[in-house]
Amino acid sequence: MKALMFGWEFPPHILGGLGTASYGLTKGMALQPDMEITFVIPKPLGDEDKSFLQLIGACNTPVVWKNVHRDHVQNRIGNCMDIQLYYDLRDHIYSDFSYCYTDDLGCIEFSGRYPDNLLEEINNYSIVAGVMARTIKFDIVHSHDWLTYPAGIHAKFITNKPLVIHVHATDFDRSRGSVNPVVYGIEKDGMDNADHIITVSNLTRDIVIEKYHQNPSKVTTVHNAVEPMNAEVAAVKFQKNTKTKIITFLGRITMQKGPEYFVEAAAKVLRKKSNVRFVMAGNGDMMDQMIRLVAQRNISDRFHFTGFMKGIEVYKMLKSSDVYVMPSVSEPFGISPLEAMQCGVPSIISKQSGCAEILEKTIKIDYWDIEAIADAMYSITTYPSMAEYLRVEGKNEVDRITWEKAADKVRNIYDKIV
C-alpha cells in the first residue's frame, strides 16, 4: 500500500500538535510491512527524520522547467530530498506556471509556517500537488488538516485515487463559533470531496456531521496517541522542590485553549496556599492579555511566562511540574496531557477535549468552572496520596495508548476504500 500524504508540519520544526500527530501516525503506519509513505510538507529543512518515509518539500518541487546542473541541485536541496526526484518531478510539469514567482530551480517559495498570505500558500501547495500526483506512484491520498485539502482534492482528480482527509481541528474549534467563511468553505469542500473522513475524536466527528453536513457512515474517529519517550527524553531528570509546587499550562495562548481560566484558578489557589508557582508555557495572540490579567490579580510574583517550547524543552518543563492543566474551551484532541501523564505528571483536563474520551486516570472539569479547576489544583498539590495515584495510574494508562494501534485503524480505512 502506497500513500501520498499532504501535511503542513513535521518535527522537529513544529508550531503545534499537527506536526506531532503527523509524525506519530506515520511512524506507526511504517511498522506495517507493506506500507510506503510519501509525506509532503511546504518547507523541510533537512534535519527531519526520514528513516521510515519519503519526505518531499513543496518548496523543492519545480513548477517551471529550468536547465540546471546536478551539482547545483545537489548543493541546493540535496540534504532535503533525492535529487533524481527533482528531475522526475520537473518532467511532469503540467501547465505554464511562469507567471508564478519561482527560484533558480523553478520552485515556488514557501514559508513553512502560517504567514499572512496563508491562502496564497495553500493555493500554491495545490499547484505543486499536481506535479507530484503525476510523478509519484501511490494508491491513496491522505490530507492532514484544512490547509492541505485543496492539494488532496487536486491529486485525487488527477489520478482518480481515493482521498482520505484527516480532521485534526475545525474552524469551530479555533474560533469559538465565529467561523471564517473562507476557511469553512475550504474545510467543507475537502469533506465533500473526500472518500472518507478521519476525525481525532468523537467531539470532532459530531461537528463534522452536524456543522459540515457529512454522512455519518463516511466519518470515522481515530484517536491520537503519544510517541514513546526516546533515550534523550527518558534521561531527563529533575529533583522537584518538595516545598514549592509547580502547576503548568503548556500550549498556544489563544482563545481556544482557555488560558484565562488557568489564570483565574491560579489566583484562587494562591488565596489558600503560597507554596505554589504557576507556569504558562507557549505563545499566542492572548499572551499580552494574560500578562495584564496576572498583574491585575496581583500574582505576578508567583507566575512565569516561558514563551514557546518544543522538543526536549517540553519534557524538561513537564518533568519539573507537579500538575499539568489543559482548560481548553474546544480541543479536538489534545496530545499534551498524554505527554504530561507519560512523564508521571497528574493532569487536569477539560471535559470539552477529545482526549477526555479515552483518559480515565485524570481529573476532568468543565473549562468554565474556575472553582473546580482551583479545587483540583489545590487537592493534587496538598494530598500526596492523590498525586501519587494520578502519577502512577496515569502513566500506566497512557503507555497503553500507542500510535501503532491508531495506525492499524487508519489502515483498515485504507483497505476498505482502495
Side-chain angles (χ1 to χ4, degrees):
M1 178 75 73
K2 295 181 173 66
L4 175 61
M5 286 195 188
F6 294 102
W8 204 261
E9 296 183 12
F10 201 80
H13 308 287
I14 60 173
L15 297 169
L18 178 61
T20 303
S22 297
Y23 178 84
L25 180 64
T26 51
K27 197 167 185 181
M29 295 186 73
L31 296 173
Q32 300 164 11
D34 64 335
M35 176 59 66
E36 295 180 23
I37 300 170
T38 298
F39 198 92
V40 185
I41 56 174
K43 186 178 181 179
L45 296 182
D47 55 350
E48 296 84 2
D49 181 2
K50 299 184 280 289
S51 62
F52 56 93
L53 46 63
Q54 178 175 238
L55 191 72
I56 301 179
C59 66
N60 299 324
T61 300
V63 297
V64 173
W65 200 94
K66 298 280 186 177
N67 185 18
V68 284
H69 194 272
R70 293 184 73 90
D71 289 344
H72 181 64
V73 177
Q74 179 68 47
N75 290 334
R76 289 276 280 103
I77 63 173
N79 66 323
C80 294
M81 64 185 270
D82 176 8
I83 63 168
Q84 182 55 49
L85 179 58
Y86 166 84
Y87 290 102
D88 293 342
L89 292 164
R90 190 186 65 173
D91 292 340
H92 289 88
I93 296 170
Y94 59 94
S95 188
D96 181 8
F97 295 111
S98 57
Y99 65 88
C100 295
Y101 175 79
T102 58
D103 62 15
D104 56 320
L105 299 182
C107 304
I108 299 173
E109 294 182 356
F110 288 85
S111 67
R113 301 178 70 84
Y114 300 87
D116 291 339
N117 66 330
L118 183 58
L119 292 176
E120 180 184 354
E121 289 212 352
I122 291 170
N123 181 66
N124 289 341
Y125 195 65
S126 175
I127 290 173
V128 169
V131 177
M132 293 178 180
R134 288 170 168 84
T135 310
I136 298 163
K137 302 299 182 185
F138 58 92
D139 303 301
I140 196 163
V141 187
H142 190 149
S143 286
H144 290 274
D145 226 30
W146 71 280
L147 306 134
T148 74
Y149 295 169
I153 293 170
H154 194 180
K156 171 184 176 173
F157 281 98
I158 286 171
T159 61
N160 203 31
K161 302 291 186 183
L163 168 65
V164 171
I165 68 162
H166 208 128
V167 184
H168 294 265
T170 70
D171 209 46
F172 285 90
D173 301 298
R174 292 182 289 266
S175 66
R176 280 196 193 175
S178 302
V179 177
N180 181 321
V182 175
V183 176
Y184 177 86
I186 293 173
E187 291 176 329
K188 179 83 164 56
D189 194 37
M191 294 176 195
D192 290 345
N193 283 284
D195 294 275
H196 205 83
I197 301 167
I198 297 173
T199 58
V200 295
S201 63
N202 293 323
L203 181 74
T204 306
R205 182 176 186 270
D206 290 343
I207 292 173
V208 166
I209 293 167
E210 294 168 13
K211 303 293 187 181
Y212 295 85
H213 316 296
Q214 299 301 309
N215 188 326
S217 65
K218 183 180 172 180
V219 191
T220 301
T221 294
V222 178
H223 290 104
N224 285 336
V226 65
E227 182 74 8
M229 286 191 208
N230 59 35
E232 182 184 12
V233 171
V236 173
K237 303 292 182 185
F238 268 90
Q239 187 64 43
K240 292 183 180 177
N241 189 325
T242 56
K243 294 182 179 179
T244 302
K245 302 296 183 180
I246 296 175
I247 301 178
T248 298
F249 170 109
L250 193 152
R252 294 196 314 278
I253 306 176
T254 62
M255 182 172 57
Q256 179 190 352
K257 303 295 183 179
E260 67 270 35
Y261 302 105
F262 179 77
V263 175
E264 296 290 7
K268 288 184 176 295
V269 171
L270 287 169
R271 291 179 198 148
K272 292 183 177 181
K273 59 189 302 181
S274 59
N275 65 329
V276 186
R277 289 188 178 276
F278 294 86
V279 175
M280 186 165 279
N283 58 21
D285 57 12
M286 289 182 69
M287 169 79 90
D288 291 345
Q289 184 181 337
M290 290 304 100
I291 293 172
R292 289 193 297 271
L293 182 59
V294 166
Q296 290 165 8
R297 296 294 176 265
N298 199 28
I299 58 174
S300 298
D301 62 325
R302 313 301 295 175
F303 217 99
H304 307 269
F305 292 89
T306 69
F308 179 70
M309 288 183 164
K310 66 178 182 178
I312 197 70
E313 295 175 328
V314 170
Y315 287 96
K316 286 180 178 179
M317 186 68 251
L318 291 174
K319 289 192 175 188
S320 69
S321 302
D322 296 280
V323 184
Y324 174 81
V325 185
M326 187 185 75
S328 295
V329 175
S330 179
E331 186 71 53
F333 185 78
I335 291 177
S336 56
L338 278 70
E339 294 172 333
M341 294 164 72
Q342 188 181 51
C343 293
V345 183
S347 297
I348 303 166
I349 63 175
S350 73
K351 294 176 183 177
Q352 292 74 26
S353 61
C355 62
E357 297 169 7
I358 62 170
L359 294 177
E360 295 299 330
K361 306 304 181 182
T362 183
I363 296 180
K364 304 175 192 178
I365 42 81
D366 290 304
Y367 71 87
W368 45 262
D369 195 341
I370 296 167
E371 292 286 351
I373 299 172
D375 285 347
M377 290 175 171
Y378 179 85
S379 297
I380 295 172
T381 55
T382 303
Y383 303 114
S385 58
M386 179 182 185
E388 182 65 7
Y389 174 82
L390 291 171
R391 184 187 73 78
V392 174
E393 295 302 324
K395 185 176 188 322
N396 289 340
E397 180 177 48
V398 166
D399 285 345
R400 294 190 293 269
I401 302 172
T402 67
W403 280 114
E404 186 175 1
K405 293 176 183 176
D408 288 342
K409 294 177 182 177
V410 172
R411 178 57 187 269
N412 287 337
I413 292 168
Y414 283 8
D415 289 340
K416 287 177 182 177
I417 65 173
V418 169

